[in-house]
Amino acid sequence: MKSKLIALTACLSIFFTSCDAVDDLLTFTISNNTSIKIQSTSPINLPSEIITPDVTTNSTAEFENNKTKANLVKDVHIKSLKLSISDPSDKTFTFLKSVHIYISTTNSDEIELAYLDNINSSSSEIDLVCTDARLDQYIKADSYKIRTKVTLKETLTKDVTVKADMKFKVTADPF
């Protein structure tokens, strides 16, 4: 009886380890970015929304580069979302109280992608907290929309342009 239990445990551990190894071989990263312009006329301590132009995905080419197809993609999650100020170059995120970023497509509902509250940064780059939402339908689409909700804690004398670098973890089925 004891040997059967050991054999069963060994078989199960080999099975789960091999599944993880296959997933690792079929997992890759897709990177996209967009610019967000925060207007100097944005109110202080009140959320204001910023809608960016559609982000064109390069997912079809990325799928081909990774020897897969959109119909084989089984799992997409946001891996990281970094904001960096591109203009003015000497500006830091001290003006920002919170930021929430949402993603949508014409065929899919809007969901939260990443956020950061109570920002206390004197840097020109911040990493947002990523949600664990499944993003398959958004990354498989030709393009998606990004909506940003920001709350300022100080008045801006000049518009601030922020670059959003998004990295998505993609896992595909072998066939």
Side-chain angles (χ1 to χ4, degrees):
M1 181 68 172
K2 193 174 189 180
S3 62
K4 288 181 184 179
L5 184 60
I6 292 172
L8 178 64
T9 304
C11 287
L12 287 175
S13 64
I14 290 170
F15 173 75
F16 287 120
T17 304
S18 64
C19 288
D20 288 344
V22 170
D23 275 355
D24 287 345
L25 289 174
L26 300 171
T27 299
F28 55 95
T29 300
I30 292 180
S31 299
N32 284 327
N33 61 59
T34 191
S35 288
I36 302 164
K37 186 177 231 175
I38 302 171
Q39 304 286 332
S40 58
T41 56
S42 298
I44 297 176
N45 289 324
L46 291 174
S48 57
E49 295 186 6
I50 304 159
I51 298 173
T52 63
D54 285 4
V55 176
T56 303
T57 64
N58 56 350
S59 51
T60 302
E62 290 285 345
F63 295 154
E64 287 176 11
N65 290 343
N66 288 282
K67 298 173 182 38
T68 191
K69 298 175 188 162
N71 63 334
L72 295 176
V73 170
K74 67 177 184 177
D75 192 28
V76 180
H77 286 86
I78 184 84
K79 184 177 175 181
S80 68
L81 201 155
K82 179 182 291 236
L83 299 181
S84 55
I85 298 175
S86 55
D87 185 46
S89 59
D90 62 339
K91 190 73 176 161
T92 66
F93 279 107
T94 55
F95 70 93
L96 197 57
K97 184 176 186 178
S98 70
V99 60
H100 290 253
I101 297 182
Y102 303 87
I103 188 171
S104 65
T105 67
T106 53
N107 299 326
S108 303
D109 292 337
E110 180 180 81
I111 59 171
E112 190 168 28
L113 192 59
Y115 65 93
L116 192 58
D117 292 318
N118 302 315
I119 298 170
N120 191 15
S121 175
S122 57
S123 173
S124 62
E125 291 185 347
I126 55 174
D127 291 310
L128 302 189
V129 176
C130 298
T131 65
D132 62 351
R134 288 196 56 170
L135 304 169
D136 307 24
Q137 60 202 11
Y138 303 92
I139 298 304
K140 290 179 185 180
D142 293 334
S143 66
Y144 54 82
K145 294 181 185 338
I146 294 291
R147 181 177 65 88
T148 306
K149 186 168 71 170
V150 297
T151 304
L152 304 182
K153 59 183 172 186
E154 62 185 53
T155 304
L156 293 176
T157 56
K158 187 176 176 183
D159 292 352
V160 176
T161 304
V162 176
K163 181 180 173 192
D165 288 314
M166 301 167 276
K167 296 197 183 311
F168 299 94
K169 179 182 173 188
V170 180
T171 304
D173 277 330
F175 34 76

